[in-house]
Amino acid sequence: MDLTLKIWRQASGLDKGKFVNYKVGNISHDASFLEMLDILNEELVIKGDDPVAFDHDCREGICGACSLYINGRPHGPDRGITTCQMHMRNFKDGETIVIEPWRAKPFPVIKDLMVDRTAFDKIIQAGGFVSVRTGGVPDANAIAIPKHDADLAMDAAACIGCGACVAACKNASAMLFVSAKVSQFALLPQGRPEAHERVQKMVAKMDELGFGNCTNTYACEAECPKEISVANIARMNREFLTAKIVAQKA
Amino acid sequence: MGKLEAKIPHGPLSEKWTNYKAHQNLVNPSNKRRLDIIVVGTGLAGAAAAASFGELGFNVKAFGIHDSPRRAHSIAAQGGINAAKNYPNDGDSVFRLFYDTIKGGDYRAREANVYRLAEVSNDIIDQCVAQGVPFAREYGGLLDNRSFGGAQVSRTFYARGQTGQQLLLGAYSALSKEIGKGTVKMYTRRDLLELVIIDGRARGVIMRNLITGEIERHAAHAVVLATGGYGNVFFLSTNAMASNGSAVWKAYKKGAFFGNPSFTQIHPTCIPVHGDYQSKLTLMSESLRNDGRIWVPKYAEDAEKIRKGTMKPTELSEERRDYYLERRYPAFGNLVPRDVASRAAKERCDAGFGVGTTGLAVYLDFAESIKRLGKHVIEARYGNLFQMYEKIVDENPYETSMMIYPAVHYTMGGLWVDYELQTTIPGLFAAGEANFSDHGANRLGASALMQGLSDGYFVLPYTVQNYLADQISVPAFKTDLPEFEKAEKDTKATIERLLSINGKNTVDSYHRKLGLIMWDFVGMARNKEGLKKAIIMIQELKVDFWKNVKVPGKNEMVNPELEKALRVVDFIELGELMARDALYREESCGGHFREEYQTPEGEALRDDVNFTYVSAWEHKGDDAEPALHKEPLVFEFIEVKQRNYK
């Protein structure tokens, strides 16, 4: 198939960016979207042009490195997958494809389609963990956990930290990301002792880093490649409220 | 051969690690604060080690190539992690896990290391559960297990098809906790360009900042490399795009011996290659072999019809199918170890029974399991894998057989390390896939996660401390020492040289060529003539690369082509050493299959008299042949046998 690519080019965070059009031809329907970009970059390198920078690594939908706003949607048109898992059979011959980076203030552009998502790491560092040291822990089967709770925790833990939720949200809210981690630990007995402190610290850090608030449009859930549920946001709100009440009592 | 001292503690197998810990040297808390440790790589082994060092009170600097430690390639491991808990009461024990691992590795691993691995396996599960890793559970609320290749017990713990992700996120959360506290300083998007040696000890690294291109110097009292494997030598592998062998290669060129470089694992269940634009291969977890049956058509004419597209696999009756693993290996059936399953697939395809348009694929079939257990059970067990398959191949595996073929997945070889995981350079440690230590000539499924976390959480915190105990009076190193000066100058010269060639071929074009040479001659089946040819071809490729490669842009920018070029330079040299090692090892063992050495039934034929050793290669200069050292493997506690999965 032959395609026109309208790609956001920006030399660095300090430079102004613009769309540049490229043509690629003879692309197989079975190629992945990123393989299509590889082919473009090979051609650019041979021509002596600057190849398009984009983040990617595992190319099987689990590392969360790839991003890309494709035709106005994070991770492109298909549901429940990342950009790297999308194949060209989702597009039509002759189509013009618009490719942009995540656009959110807390995710500044580094170059072209690469953005800086270290804000997510900072939120985790603020409290997204269980404070246990290596060694000296009880036997793994010492505490039975209802299968239903473990499954819900796993649903939340499936988040890959790609940032599509933030990119999809008109408020650039990180609520889905933060609530997935809060929920995972809130649902498990191992996470309960610090649950109140954790949710307060993570939410405070999220606000400090400039992420917006949730106005319940559910765009995050619709675009999440791992289909993380907004029920996690409701759970986080409950945890947050409880934490406040408990803090007032003390 | 004084340098190859494995330092195995005395005493019975089950007491060696206990004895080591009882007698090792410790560093008191006030001195820990004055000692710096560099950890390169923040996957399972690196993140676990960095977090544990931080908790102990050392100053830690951790480095990773990604924007976040959560993206390290450990994340892609699917199936599970082994441990000898014996929760299912099916006869498992530490000894049995040890024995299965040694046997699975075809008796080419060190007894004491493997026993320790089995011993700490249970602690790993406890640790991960305490961190909030959501392992699969049974209805009673206790942990669930499943079976994996090379074992007759169910000892694999799992978190759906994303066990690596959940374990890495556990280690990442422990690391994040320490970063938040300030005990670990994390440097993301950094590539190691050089190791700095001062007075014979590893004392620092030269890093390239992948955003600014800045070349940085970092000093420490000890350096840990946990940078993963080098499977991307083959270009096409299940490894992530950025996975590379440069850190271990730099260490090798600075004097660390390289152990068993040719031992590569070719994983039997991957989605087959489909086009020349393909960038990587996708693994379908080995756990699928629990419920999936592998087959090819029994008759060549049916295979041909399927290849031409005039027949569908679902049209073939049971009598016209050959479930070749069940036929050849009735005791283990579809759950034979990976090397055995891969070779059997190659054998059938080479004999003309392969399917798919290329003929390089076999079927993995779930029809029987779906009938027996119901679609919902299969979906609950493998739903995400089936979805992944459908997205790539555009076929529904609930309705038709999956197509699979072996692909490069893991490298058992790596930096040679002693019992303490220390390389032949004092103060330089290697952990996880970056070292050679525990898997011999073939790794069993669900053992990589176990080894990464064992090294990181439970071995290095002891052994690195033992090393640092006599370093307490050594002041922190300054980075303006001549050794740092020279290392930085050398790396800058290499970068300048690459950028100035301005040839006509892209970096990827060389990487693909290297990959083809490696796959054809140093892949699943090797022979003397092919290996000799490969060495010459690789040497020619290297010359061509340095003459005609085109690396655009400059150093002081985001420059992925330069990053790739620096890695491919090392892959080319590493590929040559792999071929050399494979040529020298005139036997077949595990993943190393020399066509000249096989039983009449086509099984790997070891030569225990001449090759029961670890090959440890020493770099002798860029224009000289490397020197081979041998660490004899002594089996005191188990009987060495021909592997038999029949």
Side-chain angles (χ1 to χ4, degrees), chain B residues 230-394:
Chain B
Y230 48 90
N232 271 344
V233 165
F234 291 82
F235 186 74
L236 285 181
S237 81
T238 65
N239 286 4
M241 302 301 286
S243 300
N244 67 84
S246 287
V248 294
W249 195 248
K250 298 298 181 207
Y252 166 75
K253 291 182 86 167
K254 285 279 177 182
F257 290 6
F258 207 115
N260 296 332
S262 69
F263 287 178
T264 310
Q265 175 157 85
I266 318 270
H267 195 292
T269 53
C270 300
I271 297 178
V273 178
H274 58 80
D276 57 10
Y277 49 80
Q278 195 161 358
S279 57
K280 73 154 278 171
L281 297 170
T282 304
L283 173 77
M284 290 281 104
S285 168
E286 172 163 311
S287 61
L288 291 170
R289 289 199 271 144
N290 271 306
D291 291 305
R293 299 175 71 197
I294 294 176
W295 65 279
V296 291
K298 195 184 263 178
Y299 305 102
E301 69 258 29
D302 289 342
E304 201 180 326
K305 279 184 204 157
I306 286 175
R307 287 197 291 271
K308 281 188 184 151
T310 56
M311 185 189 250
K312 287 190 178 131
T314 43
E315 292 168 27
L316 268 186
S317 62
E318 284 295 308
E319 306 79 67
R320 297 182 77 85
R321 297 179 176 197
D322 175 16
Y323 295 93
Y324 57 88
L325 288 178
E326 297 170 26
R327 169 172 58 81
R328 279 177 74 174
Y329 308 101
F332 281 70
N334 292 294
L335 285 174
V336 290
R338 292 175 172 177
D339 55 330
V340 177
S342 290
R343 267 200 302 282
K346 182 181 190 301
E347 187 276 329
R348 282 292 83 192
C349 292
D350 289 351
F353 296 92
V355 296
T357 47
T358 57
L360 291 176
V362 299
Y363 287 127
L364 177 62
D365 194 281
F366 290 87
E368 195 220 61
S369 298
I370 290 172
K371 214 168 127 193
R372 179 165 47 91
L373 302 164
K375 189 183 164 189
H376 64 287
V377 174
I378 296 299
E379 195 171 355
R381 285 185 191 166
Y382 314 109
N384 66 323
L385 299 171
F386 277 38
Q387 183 217 32
M388 196 193 281
Y389 181 84
E390 189 174 356
K391 291 291 175 194
I392 295 173
V393 184
D394 207 17

Side-chain angles (χ1 to χ4, degrees), chain B residues 132-266:
Chain B
V133 170
F135 282 120
R137 285 175 185 270
E138 296 171 336
Y139 283 100
L142 301 183
L143 292 161
D144 191 20
N145 288 115
R146 60 182 170 200
S147 50
F148 246 63
Q152 287 172 315
V153 295
S154 293
R155 62 160 72 101
T156 304
F157 294 79
Y158 66 101
R160 295 203 185 133
Q162 294 128 274
T163 317
Q165 179 199 26
Q166 293 311 313
L167 296 179
L168 180 66
L169 292 182
Y172 162 72
S173 72
L175 177 63
S176 295
K177 164 174 69 72
E178 294 305 306
I179 295 170
K181 282 200 290 192
T183 59
V184 177
K185 176 126 180 60
M186 182 72 214
Y187 297 81
T188 57
R189 296 199 197 255
R190 298 295 200 285
D191 248 351
L192 184 144
L193 296 187
E194 192 58 283
L195 181 71
V196 179
I197 312 278
I198 298 175
D199 295 333
R201 291 174 189 258
R203 296 298 195 189
V205 291
I206 303 291
M207 289 281 170
R208 179 169 180 271
N209 180 322
L210 302 182
I211 301 299
T212 63
E214 193 188 335
I215 309 296
E216 306 167 341
R217 306 172 185 186
H218 298 275
H221 293 86
V223 178
V224 174
L225 298 184
T227 52
Y230 48 90
N232 271 344
V233 165
F234 291 82
F235 186 74
L236 285 181
S237 81
T238 65
N239 286 4
M241 302 301 286
S243 300
N244 67 84
S246 287
V248 294
W249 195 248
K250 298 298 181 207
Y252 166 75
K253 291 182 86 167
K254 285 279 177 182
F257 290 6
F258 207 115
N260 296 332
S262 69
F263 287 178
T264 310
Q265 175 157 85
I266 318 270

Side-chain angles (χ1 to χ4, degrees), chain A residues 179-190:
Chain A
S179 69
K181 195 44 77 180
V182 165
S183 288
Q184 177 197 341
F185 291 139
L187 285 158
L188 298 171
Q190 288 81 6

Side-chain angles (χ1 to χ4, degrees), chain A residues 57 60 89 121 134-135 139-140, chain B residues 66 68 87 126-127 172 242 280:
Chain A
D57 196 29
E60 52 189 70
R89 59 183 85 98
D121 293 310
T134 302
D139 183 87
Chain B
H66 301 94
S68 163
Y87 287 154
D126 297 343
Q127 186 67 34
Y172 162 72
K280 73 154 278 171

Side-chain angles (χ1 to χ4, degrees), chain B residues 382-423:
Chain B
Y382 314 109
N384 66 323
L385 299 171
F386 277 38
Q387 183 217 32
M388 196 193 281
Y389 181 84
E390 189 174 356
K391 291 291 175 194
I392 295 173
V393 184
D394 207 17
E395 282 181 358
N396 181 350
Y398 293 103
E399 284 159 16
T400 186
S401 298
M402 273 186 186
M403 277 188 293
I404 52 160
Y405 197 67
V408 173
H409 179 55
Y410 187 90
T411 45
M412 281 74 70
L415 291 179
W416 184 91
V417 289
D418 60 21
Y419 187 74
E420 298 185 296
L421 305 185
Q422 188 164 206
T423 68

Side-chain angles (χ1 to χ4, degrees), chain A residues 11 28-32 34-36 38-39 41-66 78-81 85-87 89-90 110-111 114-118 120-122 124-126 128-148 150-163 177 181 184-185 188 190-191 225-227, chain B residues 48 51-52 55-56 65-73 75-78 85 87 122-123 125-143 157 159-160 162 165-166 169 172-177 179-181 186 188-189 210-211 238-243 274 277-283 387-388 390-394 456-458 461 504-509 512 550-553 557-561 564:
Chain A
S28 162
H29 285 83
D30 290 329
S32 75
L34 296 185
E35 283 164 354
M36 184 273 296
D38 290 343
I39 292 170
N41 274 344
E42 287 277 294
E43 289 171 11
L44 292 179
V45 170
I46 294 290
K47 273 196 266 177
D49 290 345
D50 184 29
V52 181
F54 59 92
D55 270 316
H56 65 100
D57 196 29
C58 77
R59 297 205 176 190
E60 52 189 70
I62 194 73
C63 75
C66 68
D78 210 353
R79 283 192 81 125
I81 55 167
Q85 290 175 291
M86 190 172 50
H87 284 69
R89 59 183 85 98
N90 285 294
I110 294 170
K111 184 175 190 256
M114 280 170 82
V115 299
D116 181 353
R117 286 170 285 190
T118 46
F120 271 8
D121 293 310
K122 290 184 184 138
I124 299 293
Q125 286 156 18
F129 46 79
V130 177
S131 296
V132 291
R133 301 164 62 93
T134 302
V137 296
D139 183 87
N141 260 349
I143 309 172
I145 303 176
K147 180 169 163 45
H148 179 68
D151 285 347
L152 280 179
M154 180 62 215
D155 288 344
C159 168
I160 57 173
C162 65
F177 169 78
K181 195 44 77 180
Q184 177 197 341
F185 291 139
L188 298 171
Q190 288 81 6
K226 296 295 154 184
E227 302 180 312
Chain B
S52 303
E55 288 168 3
L56 287 170
I65 49 178
H66 301 94
D67 62 333
S68 163
R70 69 178 295 146
R71 310 213 195 280
H73 189 53
I75 202 143
Q78 297 169 354
K85 285 281 194 185
Y87 287 154
N122 293 339
D123 298 337
I125 304 302
D126 297 343
Q127 186 67 34
C128 294
V129 167
Q131 287 170 345
V133 170
F135 282 120
R137 285 175 185 270
E138 296 171 336
Y139 283 100
L142 301 183
L143 292 161
F157 294 79
R160 295 203 185 133
Q162 294 128 274
Q165 179 199 26
Q166 293 311 313
L169 292 182
Y172 162 72
S173 72
L175 177 63
S176 295
K177 164 174 69 72
I179 295 170
K181 282 200 290 192
M186 182 72 214
T188 57
R189 296 199 197 255
L210 302 182
I211 301 299
T238 65
N239 286 4
M241 302 301 286
S243 300
H274 58 80
Y277 49 80
Q278 195 161 358
S279 57
K280 73 154 278 171
L281 297 170
T282 304
L283 173 77
Q387 183 217 32
M388 196 193 281
E390 189 174 356
K391 291 291 175 194
I392 295 173
V393 184
D394 207 17
Y457 285 132
F458 297 109
K504 54 188 187 302
N505 303 321
T506 61
V507 174
D508 275 358
S509 71
R512 279 179 199 276
K550 186 180 180 95
V551 186
M557 63 185 277
V558 175
N559 192 340
E561 290 296 314
K564 285 193 283 187

Side-chain angles (χ1 to χ4, degrees), chain B residues 3 252-253 255 257 617-629:
Chain B
K3 271 185 165 174
Y252 166 75
K253 291 182 86 167
F257 290 6
W617 294 89
E618 181 186 10
H619 182 64
K620 286 286 190 188
D622 283 335
D623 301 316
E625 289 203 0
L628 175 64
H629 301 265

